[in-house]
Amino acid sequence: MLPVWITDSVTPDLSRAVHYTLLWGLEGVVLRTVGGSGNRVPFVNEQQLRARLADAELPIVAVDPGLFEGSVDNKAVWLNDLMILSDVANFCNRLGCETIITGALAGTENEFDVATTANVLSQAARIAHRAGTALALRNDASTGCASGERLADLVAAVGHANVSAAWSPADAMQAGNDPAVGLEALLDRGRLAMVFVRDGETEASGWVDRTPGQGGVGWEGQFRKLADAGFTGPLCLDVRGDSPAKRGLAQASALHEQIKAARAPA
């Protein structure tokens, strides 16, 4: 299991992001925004990015360009996303990154139709495959694809070898689903690419973010099941809440401890 993080969950500044990555003992980065607020991959300073990460010997394990996050009913938007996907894949090839994280086209304005959604994402899978890249579909609490079960169904329906799941158990829980059941569904299908690590719990005021292991997700069980299944992919910190740098340090430390405990004999 590879401990990594989404850099702009703390800072979009590349130099600071690299500093935190090394300081916290993380082994790779997932990139969304690098530089100014409008500089989302692949529209970033590529030369600077390549040089800084090479100097620190940090791999880009995935990029998240914000594609396929709307409704499958909004054809104009996902057609545009299909056009942009080739540019993203070429960007990944130049920087040695193999995985593109996308949404599941499960916007809240439509009923989640697995077959229709899978048809669109199959087109995306073919574009990514021709460019030598893979897609990791992510569940999201605010959409019709929040649970691990639905995410597993969608990945299976797309049916391409280069399409797998980017699992966020906190999003499943936040939407009222059982993260343990969701992970079982994903492991049963054998198509899990990466796991997003954040925690929290629902209180009277709403969702409250917690350090992994201190909320309601049940991270000890998640990590143990991942270890037992032989999962070796990225475990990606998604830092939320105030004072992100301080939270990031605490969460990175918790992540290392959870990995260590999961690897220990039962």
Side-chain angles (χ1 to χ4, degrees):
M1 292 183 277
L2 187 73
V4 304
W5 72 308
I6 306 174
T7 56
D8 71 351
S9 64
V10 171
T11 177
D13 181 87
L14 180 60
S15 294
R16 289 181 64 201
V18 169
H19 169 73
Y20 288 136
T21 307
L22 299 176
L23 180 66
W24 298 342
L26 302 175
E27 299 177 31
V29 296
V30 172
L31 300 180
R32 286 187 308 205
T33 301
V34 181
S37 59
N39 299 124
R40 187 153 185 174
V41 293
F43 307 109
V44 300
N45 187 326
E46 189 174 320
Q47 183 177 0
Q48 181 187 56
L49 179 63
R50 182 187 294 109
R52 189 68 184 91
L53 293 179
D55 183 59
E57 298 183 342
L58 286 173
I60 304 171
V61 299
V63 300
D64 182 355
L67 302 180
F68 307 109
E69 293 182 344
S71 166
V72 70
D73 294 335
N74 198 334
K75 186 175 181 179
V77 173
W78 60 252
L79 280 174
N80 186 63
D81 287 347
L82 287 174
M83 293 176 61
I84 295 172
L85 183 58
S86 293
D87 292 334
V88 176
N90 290 332
F91 169 85
C92 288
N93 284 331
R94 292 192 297 270
L95 291 172
C97 171
E98 297 180 353
T99 303
I100 302 168
I101 300 165
T102 78
L105 277 178
T108 55
E109 64 265 37
N110 66 294
E111 291 293 327
F112 186 56
D113 183 335
V114 172
T116 302
T117 302
N119 181 56
V120 175
L121 292 174
S122 292
Q123 299 176 55
R126 290 192 289 272
I127 293 171
H129 177 71
R130 286 195 295 268
T133 55
L135 300 182
L137 312 183
R138 181 173 181 173
N139 61 306
D140 188 294
S142 64
T143 72
C145 185
S147 70
E149 302 95 293
R150 281 198 166 180
L151 184 59
D153 287 343
L154 179 59
V155 170
V158 175
H160 283 258
N162 69 325
V163 176
S164 54
W167 166 231
S168 175
D171 277 87
M173 179 193 166
Q174 197 169 350
N177 300 289
D178 187 337
V181 174
L183 179 57
E184 288 287 355
L186 291 163
L187 292 176
D188 285 345
R189 307 295 179 92
R191 302 296 295 277
L192 182 59
M194 63 191 304
V195 178
F196 288 95
V197 180
R198 66 182 182 91
D199 207 344
E201 54 195 348
T202 301
E203 297 184 349
S205 60
W207 179 265
V208 178
D209 294 292
R210 304 290 186 204
T211 298
Q214 297 179 8
V217 167
W219 275 111
E220 181 179 355
Q222 292 277 315
F223 282 121
R224 176 60 66 182
K225 286 180 181 178
L226 289 167
D228 290 346
F231 178 75
T232 59
L235 299 172
C236 181
L237 279 180
D238 183 357
V239 182
R240 304 283 179 97
D242 298 329
S243 304
K246 183 178 179 179
R247 283 180 177 265
L249 173 59
Q251 293 184 18
S253 298
L255 176 59
H256 288 304
E257 289 299 317
Q258 294 274 5
I259 293 173
K260 182 179 177 180
R263 288 172 173 166

